[in-house]
Amino acid sequence: MFIGENDKFKKFENKIWLSSPTMHGEELYYIKKAYDTNWMSTIGENIDVIEEKIAEKIGVYYSVALASGTSALHLAMKLAGIKRGDKVFCQDLTFAATVNPIVYEGGEPVFIDSEYDTWNMDPVALEKAFEIFPEVKVIVVAHLYGTPSKIDQIRQIADKHGAIIVEDAAESFGATYKGKETGSFGDYNAISFNGNKIITGSSGGMLLTENKEAAEKVRKWSTQSRENAPWYQHEEIGYNYRMSNVIAGVVRGQIPYLKEHIAQKKEIYYRYKEGLKNLPIKMNPFDKENSKPNYWLSCMIIDNKAMAKQVRSETEALYTREKGKSSPTEILETLAKYNAEARPIWKPMHMQAIFRNSSFITREGNGRAKTNAYIKGGSVGKDGKPLDVGMDIFNRGLCLPSDNKITKEEQDEIIKIIKACFN
Ligand SMILES: *Cc1c(COP(=O)(O)O)cnc(C)c1O
């Protein structure tokens, strides 16, 4: 499959990861502290400390440490009062955990297309969605790859229509918009400590809110909804969603390194930007004036004119080699060949088999009407740009190896490999 010029590179001896846990030693100290004091369950000092520190860092009053970001989003859906058949506006270009909790509660996601400035929810498409479904009361917005969305405009639209916002800040902990932390803009917000995130607990997540009553409900629901009684008394359905004090120890040891991790990720982003500047590609964009990303994943998108042919089925991809051009598939396969992990852009939710029947709204309204045209990649809006922005980014973009521990030399080598793909 690989032709001449791509064979001049050496395979990386140690695999270069997309984004793996980066430990510092303090994590062990707090794990051991939990062990030595026998607070090995879902109560303990580590939990109390990280709840306080992270609420303070993000600038919200209340936080509840949970088993995962997904469980935080699930309980956010319950707080939002989603019932069977309720429609919920949800960012289309995201990881599936943004949307699954809507479905856990019986809600029906309506997917909102992205825009090109931040790759997040397009406020124009969101406004269109309210024209079509004025009854909707909940919006789920994410900050993809650590880049803040146009959250001010989304908040304005939400307020205008009396809707609440659930903010999925799982990928963007530490990123700010107009000086304010992501995870503080929504009514109910989630962050994640999954192994690949900017800081990790090995797993874990947190719900953040300004609403005391909401935080208390989440505390209760996450520990099996026990009522205040001498026996197990239950008046609501409960969940086993609380974070372990051992996991909280890992998070506690990582918190002092959030700043350092962001600085490393930023350096990685700008090294790619500089190293790839002569190629017909762009790095994932952000609003330089108003936002500071946490640069969680560095991504690139190939200019239209430099896209070599690539076709993707539901589970497989093929590409052709063309002089001066390349494709995400060629770059992904080439990097993998040399033992470096890159990844496709998250495949848009409206294109997932499981959500084939869900509504999808673009900046010109109902996007499903033109599904066949999208599949052929030919649908453009009145402005001449692709109408299905999420699919366009998926087709032309990819996530680059962004591990905190990548060395300058390794990154230079990755840049050379990418360049060779365009030869
Ligand atoms: C990781 C992630 C989640 C889920 O967090 P977990 O802690 O893995 O459950 C949710 N949304 C997005 C956008 C994510 O990247």
Side-chain angles (χ1 to χ4, degrees):
M1 204 65 221
F2 292 94
I3 316 165
E5 68 261 58
N6 276 337
D7 279 322
K8 63 189 173 191
F9 303 104
K10 274 215 306 280
K11 211 170 149 163
F12 290 107
E13 216 166 300
N14 298 311
K15 183 165 177 170
I16 310 293
W17 297 96
L18 184 78
S19 182
S20 73
T22 301
M23 294 293 127
H24 301 276
E26 270 125 294
E27 301 87 353
L28 263 181
Y29 171 79
Y30 293 114
I31 294 172
K32 187 161 186 304
K33 207 169 170 195
Y35 184 92
D36 289 342
T37 55
N38 204 37
W39 290 106
M40 292 296 284
S41 184
T42 51
I43 303 174
E45 187 189 67
N46 289 334
I47 296 175
D48 298 342
V49 168
I50 70 160
E51 284 184 343
E52 192 188 318
K53 285 204 165 163
I54 289 176
E56 191 188 315
K57 159 78 183 157
I58 292 189
V60 295
Y61 283 123
Y62 305 101
S63 63
V64 187
L66 298 169
S68 62
T70 309
S71 49
L73 287 163
H74 183 192
L75 297 184
M77 287 304 122
K78 284 182 70 77
L79 288 170
I82 297 305
K83 300 271 168 350
R84 190 155 299 280
D86 287 350
K87 287 192 163 52
V88 175
F89 293 151
C90 180
Q91 185 157 325
D92 179 55
L93 186 61
T94 186
F95 181 60
T98 309
V99 54
N100 285 337
I102 297 170
V103 182
Y104 299 165
E105 287 305 300
E108 290 177 12
V110 171
F111 296 113
I112 311 296
D113 200 6
S114 281
E115 35 79 4
Y116 285 107
D117 301 336
T118 75
W119 294 6
N120 290 303
M121 185 182 280
D122 182 357
V124 178
L126 180 62
E127 191 61 90
K128 277 277 174 223
F130 275 110
E131 283 173 23
I132 301 168
F133 302 109
E135 73 280 12
V136 171
K137 289 288 169 244
V138 184
I139 301 163
V140 186
V141 59
H143 307 287
L144 210 65
Y145 305 130
T147 297
S149 65
K150 295 184 174 177
I151 193 72
D152 263 9
Q153 290 178 54
I154 289 165
R155 170 51 77 187
Q156 265 178 16
I157 296 167
D159 289 350
K160 182 173 150 196
H161 296 278
I164 65 160
I165 294 175
V166 171
E167 199 187 345
D168 179 352
E171 299 179 359
S172 67
F173 183 32
T176 61
Y177 183 82
K178 294 188 179 169
K180 217 168 159 264
E181 297 279 327
T182 59
S184 69
F185 291 94
D187 297 79
Y188 313 119
N189 314 316
I191 59 172
S192 165
F193 306 113
N194 188 317
N196 64 6
K197 299 298 191 321
I198 192 86
I199 63 166
T200 183
S202 74
S203 64
M206 197 171 270
L207 182 129
L208 302 140
T209 179
E210 301 284 20
N211 182 330
K212 185 175 184 200
E213 201 188 330
E216 279 166 2
K217 278 187 191 165
V218 168
R219 239 169 251 282
K220 179 181 167 191
W221 292 338
S222 67
T223 49
Q224 306 287 19
S225 291
R226 280 174 295 197
E227 298 298 329
N228 196 3
W231 43 79
Y232 285 142
Q233 177 76 16
H234 301 287
E235 292 169 15
E236 289 178 285
I237 293 294
Y239 300 84
N240 182 6
Y241 276 179
R242 194 72 163 126
M243 183 186 279
S244 145
N245 193 48
V246 180
I247 298 288
V250 184
V251 177
R252 188 175 176 185
Q254 289 257 295
I255 289 174
Y257 295 93
L258 173 63
K259 237 177 128 174
E260 182 181 306
H261 285 192
I262 294 174
Q264 289 166 341
K265 297 274 194 181
K266 183 174 177 179
E267 217 177 300
I268 292 167
Y269 178 93
Y270 281 102
R271 234 186 270 143
Y272 277 129
K273 195 175 167 86
E274 176 62 25
L276 300 172
K277 73 178 175 195
N278 293 325
L279 289 182
I281 68 111
K282 299 198 176 40
M283 296 299 292
N284 48 327
F286 60 93
D287 175 354
K288 286 186 188 63
E289 215 168 290
N290 294 312
S291 71
K292 286 200 171 78
N294 70 1
Y295 302 93
W296 175 56
L297 291 189
S298 287
C299 306
M300 58 170 266
I301 182 164
I302 301 174
D303 293 348
N304 254 315
K305 60 175 187 343
M307 271 291 288
K309 190 167 176 173
Q310 125 192 292
V311 287
R312 283 170 163 166
S313 73
E314 293 292 280
T315 53
E316 288 177 304
L318 289 170
Y319 68 92
T320 58
R321 277 227 13 103
E322 295 178 41
K323 213 169 160 40
K325 297 181 174 187
S326 189
S327 62
T329 303
E330 178 180 11
I331 296 169
L332 288 165
E333 290 191 9
T334 308
L335 287 173
K337 186 185 160 200
Y338 293 107
N339 209 19
E341 185 192 25
R343 197 166 284 178
I345 296 297
W346 300 175
K347 183 172 172 178
M349 289 300 119
H350 79 282
M351 292 300 285
Q352 302 288 352
I354 189 86
F355 296 123
R356 273 286 152 73
N357 296 322
S358 304
S359 299
F360 169 58
I361 312 295
T362 70
R363 64 186 183 280
E364 290 186 8
N366 185 353
R368 283 296 187 203
K370 294 180 180 168
T371 298
N372 287 336
Y374 298 145
I375 290 166
K376 288 187 214 122
S379 176
V380 294
K382 290 178 202 130
D383 52 10
K385 291 181 184 156
L387 246 196
D388 188 336
V389 175
M391 268 313 273
D392 183 40
I393 295 170
F394 174 69
N395 284 332
R396 295 192 287 124
L398 69 143
C399 309
L400 297 166
S402 307
D403 196 67
N404 289 89
K405 297 169 291 311
I406 194 171
T407 65
K408 189 173 181 320
E409 292 68 35
E410 288 167 337
Q411 211 185 332
D412 285 345
E413 206 56 21
I414 284 170
I415 288 165
K416 281 187 204 152
I417 296 170
I418 296 170
K419 282 183 172 167
C421 290
F422 285 89
N423 281 344

